[in-house]
């Protein structure tokens, strides 16, 4: 049957002669995967790359369909979880009377999200896709447990480190798996698969969150995922495990490489110190430290400015930011000499790659300034909307961006030939600008829900068009033979995708920090100014808890003062976002489609 035949792709001839048994699976490969590359190019290809190359040779149609079904199950679970917990997060921090620290929680997530993508892609290259997926599942479960059991905001915020690392790792690994098993044009379509559940979860997630709040507590809204997520991972995990075992039995992966990360020529098991040193080098430990510490020292102080009495004149804040800048300057210098660079220096020389990363950074920074993390609270407090309405309105962005991304992917695939991403990027940037202008119109009392939905849909559509086209050309820059100079293309498409998504998350962290700084500076003063005299003493409680803010009757003098404070502050955020949007427009219009003409890229199965 055709379904049982292995999908060898167009590069099967690169790996020696093959024979097929009665079951249609390869029985003999004289030349193991990676051997020719080592002999001819001298490059030591990492174990995880060898394993996914081998697994890609053994996929059957049925097996690949099961694997992609597993990707969908996992994406649906994480999407639904994200919708539910997003609607619960404001109530979680408010239970500790720390609603103002919501932006700090988002910044912690953003920092972890930013620094975890390249290491996770590197872990997948060193150990394998299955091992990296499993690590992420464990991290997510640990984060859920800590959040559900937290008794103070410090524990809740600390849990974000584990949760964000696992959640973001799953995101990048899903995209890496899709890049491993699809060709260039089809990849635009399949890369939208992990986002497709948003079409459903955006509507049911807030309703589930409201049910938790009404019938139980926000804690159970986190705890249930400790069981659901591991179950959703089983189809993909078993598919990778079974094919990996087949690859080992058929000799596609040299056994000595499966046992160790060492690249030594003998088959002896290396000592513990040698293994640790090899692992540190293959993970580019120094590069990870420079990159993660540099980002942290720049982004975390942004959340502290509003809490410092001297603001930007605080010498500790200035010292941290300058130290972070210094580390980020040292990062590319180290990468140029690293044996296994976290980010291949060739990619940094590509204007297409750099422009794509800059675009991703700025359009997500704008979104997190304009919408996150306080738009949901604004709907609850200033517009008096229930959770079941505020949640879907806020998450309409995800719904619209998913539809736009899928539509753009389908059109790109249908057109075929040479990809032309720039028109999609410019059109998306234009819609993005119009959406922010419409959001400014919504910052007034009595605005209708349809207008709120429309503004979020325009914002999401613009982001979706820009994102899918930008990620496509970033991966094209990584897989271009001229950029990689003969290196294994599987080896760097993962880290290139990770670099792009990293800059996106850096943008979200910066946007959250800017939003939090403005919120922390304006809201307390406005509450003290507008609240009635007999309620001014409650300004601190109102500022610290969204539950306290909505406890005042709608139409009362206190509630009117709170709503006015929220509205005026959010309007400032939108004007700042509109200024940042100007940078997006400049990059989008000035972007040259370098190195894309005549590109035909084939990685494997589809």
């Amino acid at each position: 049957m055709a379904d049982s035949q292995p999908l060898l792709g167009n590069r099967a001839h690169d790996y020696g002669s093959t024979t097929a048994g009665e079951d249609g699976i390869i029985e003999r490969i004289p030349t193991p995967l990676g051997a020719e590359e080592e002999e001819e190019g001298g490059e030591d290809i990492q174990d995880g790359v060898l394993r996914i190359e081998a697994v890609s040779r053994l996929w059957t149609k049925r097996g690949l369909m099961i694997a992609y079904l597993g990707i969908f199950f996992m994406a649906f679970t994480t999407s639904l979880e994200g919708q539910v917990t997003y609607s619960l997060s404001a109530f979680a921090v408010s239970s500790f009377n720390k609603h103002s620290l919501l932006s700090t929680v988002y910044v912690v997530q953003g920092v972890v999200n930013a620094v975890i993508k390249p290491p996770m892609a590197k872990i997948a290259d060193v150990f394998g896709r299955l091992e990296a997926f499993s690590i992420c599942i464990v991290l997510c479960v640990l984060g859920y447990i800590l959040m559900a059991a937290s008794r103070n905001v410090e524990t809740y915020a600390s849990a974000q480190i584990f949760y964000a690392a696992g959640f973001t790792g799953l995101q990048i690994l899903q995209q890496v798996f899709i890049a491993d098993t699809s060709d260039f044009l089809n990849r635009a379509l399949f890369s939208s698969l992990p986002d497709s559940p948003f079409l459903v979860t955006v509507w049911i997630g807030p309703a589930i969150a409201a049910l938790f709040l009404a019938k139980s507590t926000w804690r159970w809204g986190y705890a249930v995922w400790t069981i659901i997520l591991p179950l959703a991972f089983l189809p993909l995990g078993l598919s990778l495990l079974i094919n990996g075992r087949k690859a080992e039995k058929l000799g596609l992966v040299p056994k000595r490489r499966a046992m160790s990360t060492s690249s030594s020529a003998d088959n002896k098991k290396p000592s513990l110190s040698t293994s640790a040193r090899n692992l540190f080098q293959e993970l580019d430990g120094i590069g990870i430290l420079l990159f993660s510490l540099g980002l942290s020292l720049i982004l975390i102080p942004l959340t502290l400015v509003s809490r410092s009495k001297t603001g930007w004149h605080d010498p500790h804040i200035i010292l941290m930011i300058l130290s972070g800048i210094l580390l980020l300057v040292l990062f590319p210098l180290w990468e140029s000499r690293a044996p296994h660079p976290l980010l291949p220096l060739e990619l940094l020389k590509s204007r297409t790659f750099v422009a794509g990363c800059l675009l991703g950074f700025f359009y997500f920074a704008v979104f997190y300034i304009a919408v996150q993390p306080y738009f949901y609270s604004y709907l609850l407090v200033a517009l008096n909307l229930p959770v079941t309405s505020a949640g879907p309105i806020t998450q309409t962005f995800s719904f619209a961006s998913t539809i736009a991304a899928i539509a753009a992917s389908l059109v790109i695939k249908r057109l075929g030939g040479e990809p032309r991403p720039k028109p999609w990027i410019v059109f998306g940037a234009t819609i993005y600008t119009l959406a922010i202008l419409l959001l400014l119109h919504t910052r007034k009392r009595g605005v209708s829900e349809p207008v709120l939905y429309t503004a979020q849909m325009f914002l999401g559509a613009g982001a979706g068009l820009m994102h899918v086209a930008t990620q496509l050309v970033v991966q094209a820059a990584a897989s271009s033979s001229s950029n990689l100079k003969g290196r294994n293309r599987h080896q760097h498409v993962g880290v290139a995708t990770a670099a792009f998504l990293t800059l996106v998350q850096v943008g979200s962290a910066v946007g959250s920090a800017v939003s939090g700084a403005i919120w922390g500076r304006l809201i307390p003063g406005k509450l003290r100014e507008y609240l009635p005299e007999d309620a001014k003493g409650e300004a601190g409680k109102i500022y610290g808890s969204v539950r306290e803010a909505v406890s005042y009757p709608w139409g009362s003098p206190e509630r009117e003062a709170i709503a006015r404070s929220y509205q005026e502050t959010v309007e400032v955020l939108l004007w700042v976002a509109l200024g940042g949007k100007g940078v997006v427009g400049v990059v989008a219009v000035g972007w040259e489609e370098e190195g894309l003409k005549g590109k035909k890229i084939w990685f494997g199965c589809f």
Side-chain angles (χ1 to χ4, degrees), residues 295-379:
L295 285 177
S296 300
L297 289 172
I298 292 174
L299 296 178
I300 291 178
L302 296 179
T303 68
L304 305 177
V305 171
S306 62
R307 296 174 177 82
S308 174
K309 294 182 179 180
T310 56
W312 288 107
H313 299 288
D314 189 327
H316 296 92
I317 290 177
I318 296 175
L319 179 61
M320 291 175 70
I321 293 177
L322 291 178
S323 299
I325 293 174
L326 176 61
L327 291 177
L328 289 184
V329 170
L330 292 175
F331 173 68
L333 298 179
W334 163 257
E335 291 296 277
S336 65
R337 301 185 178 186
H340 295 285
L342 189 65
L343 179 64
L345 197 60
E346 295 91 335
L347 294 179
L348 298 178
K349 299 176 182 178
S350 168
R351 289 178 296 173
T352 300
F353 176 81
V354 173
C357 290
L358 287 176
L359 189 64
F361 170 87
F362 279 106
Y363 72 67
F364 252 69
V366 168
F367 171 70
Y368 273 78
I369 293 172
V371 177
Q372 302 282 25
Y374 296 110
F375 182 61
Y376 177 70
S377 300
Y378 167 80
L379 295 177

Side-chain angles (χ1 to χ4, degrees), residues 167-241:
F167 186 87
T168 306
L170 290 178
Q171 287 183 322
I172 179 61
L173 290 174
Q174 288 170 8
Q175 293 296 338
V176 169
F177 177 83
I178 291 170
D180 287 331
T181 55
S182 61
D183 62 47
F184 182 58
L185 290 177
N186 281 307
R187 191 182 308 152
L189 175 61
F190 289 117
S191 65
S192 300
L193 177 65
D195 296 328
S196 60
F198 282 111
L199 300 176
V200 177
T201 60
V202 68
W203 309 114
I204 63 177
I208 295 174
L211 189 63
F212 276 118
L213 292 172
K215 303 296 183 181
S216 181
T217 68
W218 60 266
R219 299 181 186 278
W220 276 107
Y222 290 96
V224 296
W225 305 105
T226 60
I227 299 173
I228 298 174
L229 182 60
L231 292 177
F233 172 62
L234 283 179
L236 177 63
L238 290 175
S239 297
L240 290 172
L241 178 63

Side-chain angles (χ1 to χ4, degrees), residues 19 29 69 81 96 102 111-112 225 301 309 331 336 353 375 387 394 407 414 427 434 440 455 497 525 530 601:
T19 60
I29 299 268
L69 188 62
E81 175 271 322
F96 309 123
L102 189 59
V111 171
V112 176
W225 305 105
K309 294 182 179 180
F331 173 68
S336 65
F353 176 81
F375 182 61
V387 171
T394 307
R414 177 68 63 178
F427 184 50
L434 294 176
L440 278 167
T497 305
Y530 298 143
I601 300 175

Side-chain angles (χ1 to χ4, degrees), residues 243-265:
N243 269 23
R245 293 285 177 85
K246 288 181 181 178
E248 290 181 1
K249 289 180 180 179
L250 294 171
L252 285 167
V253 180
K255 289 188 176 182
R256 68 176 180 86
R257 303 203 53 146
M259 293 167 52
S260 169
T261 60
S262 174
S263 60
S264 61

Side-chain angles (χ1 to χ4, degrees), residues 351-352 355-356 359 422 425 469-470 473 586-593:
R351 289 178 296 173
T352 300
L359 189 64
K422 185 172 181 178
I425 294 171
T470 305
V473 294
V586 170
V587 176
V589 173
W591 189 351
E592 296 181 6
E593 295 175 340

